Amino acid sequence: MQEQQIADRAHADVELGKTGEAIETLGTGLGGCSESASLWSLLAWAQLSSDDQEAARGSAGRAIEVDPSNTLALFVLANLEIRAGATDRAHDIASRLLQLAPENPTAHLTKARAYAAEPNGAFRNREIIRQAAYYAVSLSQDDPEVLRQAALLLEPANPKPEVIGLVERGLALQPDNSDLQLMLVRKSTAAGFRQSKQTAGVAAA
């Protein structure tokens, strides 16, 4: 397969959750395209998706060596720092990502995640996170995954109807999205449980 065919196949596999297949395809492809930043960054993404953080860091670093402006590799590195709690480094990488791709919703969501990862960040940086999440949505209003990620960012510190509204917008675009369906059930169940407790409390009084 040609490099682009390898990349397209691996990308589709990761999207489908077939990270093992993607990693195998990319490993084989890199045997003949060892200087491909695109394939190295896709490998890093697949490894991150399978929670092999050490391998993902190595592959992302290799992609950056070949192409310092590779945005997918920067995305992987930023998320690795977020998971590690290294928020200063995460902010540095996310800011670089934003400079390279200011119209990419993922860049804004990544920056928001860096703010949320700070100590008590979801509440302390609530407005910054909210603005970044909604700006990402404005850049890609018809993308259910962007809406889901925005809802996840807002969930800890914003009104539940607002979060549910984003989830419902995503489901209107993709009714069979299981992640959004589960999120809606979880949020609706929690809201109903709280309302039942409040009603019981009033009745007891």
Side-chain angles (χ1 to χ4, degrees):
M1 287 189 290
Q2 297 296 317
E3 180 180 344
Q4 189 57 53
Q5 292 176 309
I6 294 168
D8 290 343
R9 179 175 172 179
H11 189 280
D13 280 342
V14 176
E15 290 284 353
L16 291 170
K18 300 178 180 180
T19 54
E21 289 91 331
I23 290 169
E24 183 177 352
T25 297
L26 290 163
T28 301
L30 282 163
C33 306
S34 61
E35 295 303 305
S36 171
S38 174
L39 296 187
W40 278 114
S41 63
L42 280 167
L43 180 58
W45 179 40
Q47 290 163 334
L48 178 69
S49 298
S50 63
D51 204 31
D52 189 345
Q53 297 186 35
E54 184 177 352
R57 188 179 294 278
S59 297
R62 185 73 183 94
I64 293 298
E65 287 177 11
V66 177
D67 177 13
S69 63
N70 186 286
T71 54
L72 180 55
L74 289 170
F75 164 79
V76 170
L77 288 172
N79 278 278
L80 286 168
E81 300 299 358
I82 289 168
R83 292 187 184 190
T87 53
D88 287 346
R89 289 199 296 272
H91 275 299
D92 288 343
I93 298 169
S95 294
R96 187 174 168 196
L97 180 60
L98 270 173
Q99 289 176 346
L100 290 167
E103 298 305 308
N104 187 325
T106 299
H108 293 274
L109 292 171
T110 302
K111 187 65 172 174
R113 277 194 288 271
Y115 278 110
E118 294 178 5
N120 200 34
F123 293 89
R124 188 163 55 85
N125 300 318
R126 173 184 169 185
E127 283 307 313
I128 296 173
I129 293 167
R130 190 173 183 276
Q131 290 170 15
Y134 274 107
Y135 190 72
V137 169
S138 75
L139 292 171
S140 191
Q141 298 184 35
D142 297 329
D143 189 332
E145 181 58 21
V146 170
L147 287 159
R148 187 180 77 87
Q149 293 293 335
L152 286 171
L153 282 163
L154 295 185
E155 186 175 13
N158 289 273
K160 298 302 181 287
E162 184 176 7
V163 177
I164 290 173
L166 288 171
V167 173
E168 289 177 337
R169 283 175 61 183
L171 282 170
L173 293 164
Q174 192 177 47
D176 61 347
N177 187 306
S178 59
D179 290 331
L180 286 167
Q181 289 171 350
L182 288 171
M183 193 172 181
L184 181 61
V185 169
R186 176 164 52 82
K187 299 305 297 179
S188 299
T189 301
F193 178 71
R194 280 192 299 273
Q195 186 174 8
S196 297
K197 285 184 67 177
Q198 290 170 355
T199 302
V202 170

